């Protein structure tokens, strides 16, 4: 594998943060593996599989090495998933990792970060290496063993 | 068991119906067992256990004998669970049984039907017999075998 | 439903009992619903689904009304599933309901009770009503709600 | 981490192999990560959690890099878990990775490999790196994400 061919991950565009005192950027997290979990709070596959997996990732790995970041990428039912509703969802589901609201587009239903990554839907899991490069992007739920291995392979590159 | 001692189930108070062309009353369903499933769309126990069980009840029993009715009993995060958000939830989770929005109280956070039944939280499962009497009321998830048996015992009384 | 058309359940033929001080017959259990769970200890579907469901039945219903009986119907790998191996299996899986070893046939691999009921494989679940009549016979795992309802419908006939 | 401190994994002592045309040794597998799964066929935790996880490991990783080996470490109910019974178990559970029968001890119930590794029970999972060194040994089921990560961290050392 020619590592030189990996592209820098696009910066996320976030209009509001939860579970973080200040806005976060890719640069702030440089040096760590970033697990970006894109979800919608009314997406059954996110609630049943994606979000619990993101919580398991946050519990399994050392946060000094692996940063789990949620991204609320609303592309349908926009009125139904406004930030005040998301706040109640985060509270009820006891989510503790930082979650950003993907910034709405002025020209269509797809929010800006979702468009920049060309995500096809939710849940999507994105892995960014410690040098800020996009390494993996998956639509739908992958099994825990594969995800754990993929994160650890990136950790191995940090040594 | 002295059946004469069972009390009539209180009428529900509903401000809006989904999955039903017209408002439903207890009287409309007289002659059938009624399974009333009280939930909140942002309650994790409802989404993970209560609502899937209500769907299994609706699939397992003949709707001419057992009517499954959802009741959205919002007692917290009222702004986050408005009817437009519930509509998107019902669409995304593919719920097909009738669902009523429990009518808000003018004097506190507990909606009217929830108060009339003295429900302690969500999810709650309520069984009403074919003569309109309240027969069982449970907070939290019971296992499927017990629930299936309880419904069938009421069916046995109809013969 | 014309109850008169139900046939008496065939008597089981058992060469050895576990979890019972004495041999059991259908007649001994008359007046109760009998849940007969036919299994093989090396059948994955029995271990993963059938046997745990039999244990849930035994926990859910009053043993004075519903008797759960296991039947070890070995029709393949006979040498591998001898009674001493079954004894260890029952110990390890903490099974407490009575279990009979279906009596081997002198003429082929199918044991005698399995043949009398014309069972097609394992796991199989058989329901016998309080009057000793065969009411239901299912190959493979049914869901708990359906099984709980079927047992309760037979209980309703006892009143 | 001072890799020099890891000790060589003890050689296994096997009296019979299944799913392998010839006996296997640690040396035969040098250059690959070895996942050694110690189990007993009548151990519920092995059947429900350990063995399915070993199968997922075998499916998730490239067999040219990760070798999954089963070890039948019978330390109780010896008569009930003889090799002919194990053969039927392997057939029924569709296990395809090589499985060795841990050689019985002449002096007690604990078989020889189990004693050499000082295993405390079943299921146990043992990870051996590509240089034949013992890297991890766990009693009971660990979650898939942790196991996947641990294997991948060893893979990262091979580069």
């Amino acid at each position: 594998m020619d590592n030189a061919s990996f592209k820098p991950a696009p910066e996320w565009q976030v209009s509001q943060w939860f579970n973080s005192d200040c806005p976060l950027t890719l640069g702030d997290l440089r040096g760590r593996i970033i697990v970006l979990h894109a979800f919608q709070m009314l997406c059954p596959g996110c609630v049943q599989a994606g979000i619990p997996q993101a919580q398991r990732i946050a519990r399994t790995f050392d946060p000094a090495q692996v940063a789990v970041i949620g991204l609320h990428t609303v592309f349908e039912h926009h009125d139904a998933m406004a930030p005040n509703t998301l706040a109640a969802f985060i509270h009820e589901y006891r989510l503790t990792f930082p979650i950003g609201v993907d910034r709405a587009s002025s020209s269509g239903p797809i929010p800006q970060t979702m468009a920049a990554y060309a995500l096809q839907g939710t849940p999507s899991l994105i892995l960014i290496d410690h040098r800020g490069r996009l390494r993996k992007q998956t639509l739908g739920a992958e099994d825990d063993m594969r995800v754990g291995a993929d994160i650890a392979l990136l950790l191995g590159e940090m040594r």
Side-chain angles (χ1 to χ4, degrees), chain A:
Chain A
M1 193 189 294
D2 178 9
N3 282 357
S5 69
F6 296 122
K7 295 182 185 168
E11 187 59 75
W12 48 58
Q13 305 300 325
V14 165
S15 53
Q16 184 173 350
W17 284 95
F18 293 92
N19 294 335
S20 179
D21 293 334
C22 56
L24 293 168
T25 67
L26 274 174
D28 294 335
L29 303 169
R30 182 63 56 88
R32 288 193 260 176
I33 310 302
I34 301 172
V35 177
L36 188 60
H37 174 65
F39 73 102
Q40 295 183 106
M41 55 165 287
L42 291 183
C43 148
C46 300
V47 172
Q48 289 156 8
I51 291 170
Q53 184 177 72
Q55 290 177 292
R56 288 192 297 273
I57 295 171
R59 279 198 303 267
T60 300
F61 294 95
D62 177 356
Q65 294 193 303
V66 177
V68 176
I69 305 290
L71 185 68
H72 197 228
T73 54
V74 181
F75 63 91
E76 57 187 349
H77 308 299
H78 293 77
D79 290 348
M81 292 189 270
N84 70 317
T85 301
L86 178 61
F89 177 85
I90 290 170
H91 175 81
E92 287 300 313
Y93 281 81
R94 313 284 189 261
L95 305 183
T96 55
F97 48 79
I99 295 174
V101 175
D102 195 1
R103 189 182 297 279
S105 164
S106 57
S107 60
I110 308 294
Q112 296 182 24
T113 313
M114 187 173 186
Y117 281 83
L119 300 181
Q120 300 301 302
T122 54
S124 284
L125 195 71
I126 296 163
L127 299 186
I128 299 169
D129 69 19
H130 69 292
R131 296 166 59 189
R133 299 174 306 177
L134 181 60
R135 297 298 293 271
K136 186 168 178 178
Q137 185 169 315
T138 319
L139 174 64
E142 263 195 322
D143 63 67
D144 274 18
M145 192 176 284
R146 183 70 263 160
V147 170
D150 287 338
I151 294 170
L153 288 171
L154 295 184
L155 281 171
E157 296 180 3
M158 290 169 61
R159 288 172 186 164

